[in-house]
């Protein structure tokens, strides 16, 4: 579900966050559909999708860091997220050669660590509005990550579960974007 939030006191304007959250929803929905269509095999399409997801997370975090910097913030949680997601790309590339269980382990660790960062950062930004969904999303990401690690050791190891995880994360970004819109409009 990934982190796109900062823990700075001068957080990016809700308008910039809203746009970023809408983009995250659209990307997650499209990505989930493509991964689901690719199935449970680690063919070229699935491996490419597995690497693109954390790369997109890195890019989105960099955009958010620039927004935070423009508002005078340092965005330390986003910097942590860039590092975590960059490591996830490397880990997923290596794990893809070992099979679906290895991919699930790496994805699970990434989901746990980025979920914790998202939970904490969402709590820090809650005064902006729309962050309760990010807090819940971070908590769910942490639990889902643990389930991916556990699933990797069983007979039910499946890449399609990652599609559901990504889509649910996208829905939380959509909810946050809509809530930020309401906060901006004074509702």
């Amino acid at each position: 579900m990934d982190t796109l939030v900062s823990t700075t006191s001068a957080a990016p304007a809700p308008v910039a966050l809203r746009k970023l959250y809408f983009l995250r929803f659209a990307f997650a929905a499209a990505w989930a559909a493509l991964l689901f269509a690719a199935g449970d095999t680690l063919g070229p399409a699935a491996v490419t999708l597995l690497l693109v997801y954390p790369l997109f997370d890195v890019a989105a975090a960099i955009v958010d860091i620039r927004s935070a910097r423009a508002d005078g913030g340092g965005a330390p949680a986003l910097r942590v997220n860039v590092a975590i997601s960059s490591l996830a790309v490397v880990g997923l590339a290596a794990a893809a050669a070992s099979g679906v269980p290895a991919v699930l382990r790496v994805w699970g660790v990434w989901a746990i660590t980025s979920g914790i960062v998202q939970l904490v950062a969402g709590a820090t930004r809650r005064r902006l509005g729309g962050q309760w969904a990010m807090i819940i999303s971070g908590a769910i990401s942490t639990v889902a990550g643990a389930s991916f690690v556990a699933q990797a050791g069983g007979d039910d190891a499946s890449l399609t579960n990652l599609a559901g995880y990504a889509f649910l994360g996208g829905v939380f970004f959509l909810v946050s974007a809509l809530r930020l819109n309401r906060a901006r409009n004074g509702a």
Side-chain angles (χ1 to χ4, degrees):
M1 292 182 208
D2 311 330
T3 303
L4 274 186
V5 292
S6 160
T7 59
T8 64
S9 58
V15 173
L17 279 179
R18 191 179 78 247
K19 288 178 183 178
L20 202 51
Y21 289 170
F22 277 129
L23 178 62
R24 283 307 300 249
F25 165 71
F27 175 81
W31 184 90
L34 290 170
L35 185 66
F36 190 77
D40 273 332
T41 60
L42 281 172
V47 171
T48 299
L49 287 167
L50 290 169
L51 300 179
V52 165
Y53 197 90
L55 284 171
F56 183 83
D57 192 49
V58 168
I62 289 170
V63 167
D64 203 353
I65 287 169
R66 289 182 179 158
S67 295
R69 192 177 317 136
D71 289 339
L78 289 171
R79 294 181 195 293
V80 170
N81 187 59
V82 167
I84 291 168
S85 294
S86 297
L87 289 172
V89 173
V90 174
L92 287 167
S98 297
V100 172
V103 167
L104 290 175
R105 284 184 194 97
V106 172
W107 194 282
V109 169
W110 177 44
I112 291 166
T113 55
S114 65
I116 291 169
V117 171
Q118 184 177 11
L119 191 151
V120 170
T124 303
R125 268 190 177 170
R126 66 180 187 272
R127 74 188 179 312
L128 294 175
Q131 296 303 302
W132 65 267
M134 292 294 96
I135 294 167
I136 294 168
S137 177
I140 290 172
S141 183
T142 302
V143 171
S147 75
F148 294 141
V149 172
Q151 182 189 54
D155 294 333
D156 58 347
S158 171
L159 292 178
T160 56
N161 291 337
L162 300 180
Y165 163 81
F167 183 75
L168 180 61
V171 169
F172 279 108
F173 279 111
L174 177 62
V175 168
S176 286
L178 295 172
R179 295 290 300 160
L180 282 169
N181 195 41
R182 283 187 60 189
R184 183 184 72 130
N185 293 333

